């Protein structure tokens, strides 16, 4: 089954609203007629509405980098699914490794967020990946399976269609070290097989699995031309319009 790739920009804690607007104005013409892949921007929360407005009517989708699972409540500093939808954003990252590492996000929390995203019709990009220690100990497959089993717990095949998975080896994020296409493909096969076990083969063959971790214009085509790799989640190289557009046009 042909899967449409998703090329996504994770801006992390970079860009003010003015800087985000400047990016979108420069970026839109560079990808104006691009229909081969989906394109998504994940700005910081203060730039979310600005980016949604600037990208309205274009081929660019917009989402949060992190979303709480409750609709509202006493959760200082958090952003709810209702708030995301109120500004007409459509996507959210869930369980990025930086959320797991610095904000103690567990697979159980990832799971609650995933349920909330699906209940609200928000496209969830669930991030998983092993650390260097885990890879070197030969634990990559078991780590990915544990993250998927916990993260996808209680999700029925009938509701799983919108889910996107991002495989991001932690040792490749922001380090300039990229997984080789072969390493990424091997991990994606493990992920797809585990999704098949959890949600059935139909979902597994349709689900998009993105690769993330030091994707840049120079290595994008070798990764993205692999049939197993259905897009990219790009951090550092997504901050400049030219660079991110070059990745979109891999
Ligand atoms: P990077 O970040 O491209 O800067 O390695 C990727 C990510 O964290 O999603």
């Amino acid at each position: 089954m042909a899967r449409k790739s998703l090329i996504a920009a994770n801006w992390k804690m970079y860009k003010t609203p003015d800087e985000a607007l400047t990016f979108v104005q420069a970026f839109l013409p560079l990808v104006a007629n691009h229909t081969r892949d989906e394109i998504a921007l994940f700005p910081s929360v203060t730039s979310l509405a600005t980016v949604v407005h600037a990208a309205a009517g274009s081929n660019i989708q917009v989402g949060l980098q992190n979303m709480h699972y409750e609709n509202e409540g006493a959760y200082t500093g958090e952003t709810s699914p209702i708030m995301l939808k109120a500004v007409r954003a459509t996507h959210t990252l869930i369980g990025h490794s930086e959320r797991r590492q610095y904000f103690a996000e567990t697979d159980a929390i990832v799971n609650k967020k995933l349920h909330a995203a699906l209940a609200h019709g928000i496209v969830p990009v669930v991030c998983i990946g092993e650390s260097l220690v885990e890879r070197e100990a030969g634990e990559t497959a078991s780590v990915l399976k544990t993250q998927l089993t916990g993260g996808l717990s209680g999700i029925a095949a009938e509701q799983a269609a919108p889910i996107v998975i991002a495989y991001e080896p932690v040792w490749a994020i922001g380090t300039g070290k990229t997984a080789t296409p072969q390493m990424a493909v091997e991990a994606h096969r493990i992920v797809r097989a585990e999704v098949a076990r959890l949600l059935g083969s139909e979902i597994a063959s349709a689900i998009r699995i993105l690769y993330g971790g030091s994707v840049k214009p120079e290595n994008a085509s070798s990764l993205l031309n692999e049939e197993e790799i259905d897009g990219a989640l790009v951090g550092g190289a997504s901050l400049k319009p030219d660079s991110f557009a070059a990745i979109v046009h891999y």
Side-chain angles (χ1 to χ4, degrees), residues 7 36 178 181 211 214-226 229 231-232 234 237 243-250:
I7 317 292
R36 179 191 58 183
T178 318
Y211 168 78
S214 298
V215 175
K216 36 191 181 249
E218 300 76 49
N219 61 24
S221 64
S222 65
L223 289 157
L224 291 163
N225 280 319
E226 291 288 349
I229 301 180
V234 187
S243 163
F244 189 51
I247 294 171
V248 168
H249 292 295
Y250 68 87

Side-chain angles (χ1 to χ4, degrees), residues 10 12 96-98 168 172-176 212-215 233-237:
N10 172 14
K12 309 194 179 187
H96 187 279
S97 71
E98 287 149 19
E168 299 203 296
I173 294 178
T175 58
S214 298
V215 175
L233 183 54
V234 187

Side-chain angles (χ1 to χ4, degrees), residues 32-157:
N33 298 312
H34 194 86
T35 52
R36 179 191 58 183
D37 314 280
E38 290 181 20
I39 305 167
L41 301 176
F42 292 86
S44 69
V45 71
T46 61
S47 297
L48 189 67
T50 302
V51 172
V52 168
H53 287 140
S58 77
N59 53 342
I60 293 171
Q61 306 168 326
V62 186
L64 273 172
Q65 298 170 13
N66 172 45
M67 183 192 81
H68 200 272
Y69 47 83
E70 294 288 355
N71 290 347
E72 60 181 11
Y75 298 101
T76 301
E78 294 289 320
T79 311
S80 80
I82 305 250
M83 293 166 177
L84 180 157
K85 290 184 74 179
V87 297
R88 305 197 191 289
T90 51
H91 290 49
T92 188
L93 303 181
I94 298 179
H96 187 279
S97 71
E98 287 149 19
R99 299 294 317 167
R100 294 175 187 261
Q101 191 178 348
Y102 305 128
F103 303 96
E105 247 175 60
T106 60
D107 292 329
I109 295 173
V110 168
N111 183 243
K112 284 187 174 186
K113 293 182 174 186
L114 178 58
H115 278 277
L118 293 173
H120 285 277
I122 295 163
V123 177
V125 180
V126 179
C127 305
I128 58 173
E130 81 287 357
S131 68
L132 185 59
V133 173
E134 289 161 343
R135 174 161 282 268
E136 286 177 345
E139 292 167 357
T140 299
S142 67
V143 167
L144 296 177
K145 287 178 191 172
T146 301
Q147 289 175 335
L148 286 168
T149 306
L152 299 176
S153 173
I155 301 291

Side-chain angles (χ1 to χ4, degrees), residues 192-231:
R192 210 175 289 285
E194 188 62 10
V195 170
R197 190 181 73 77
L198 294 165
L199 294 170
S201 55
E202 211 170 303
I203 292 292
S205 65
I207 203 166
R208 291 178 294 179
I209 305 174
L210 318 185
Y211 168 78
S214 298
V215 175
K216 36 191 181 249
E218 300 76 49
N219 61 24
S221 64
S222 65
L223 289 157
L224 291 163
N225 280 319
E226 291 288 349
E227 205 184 311
E228 257 307 326
I229 301 180
D230 309 312

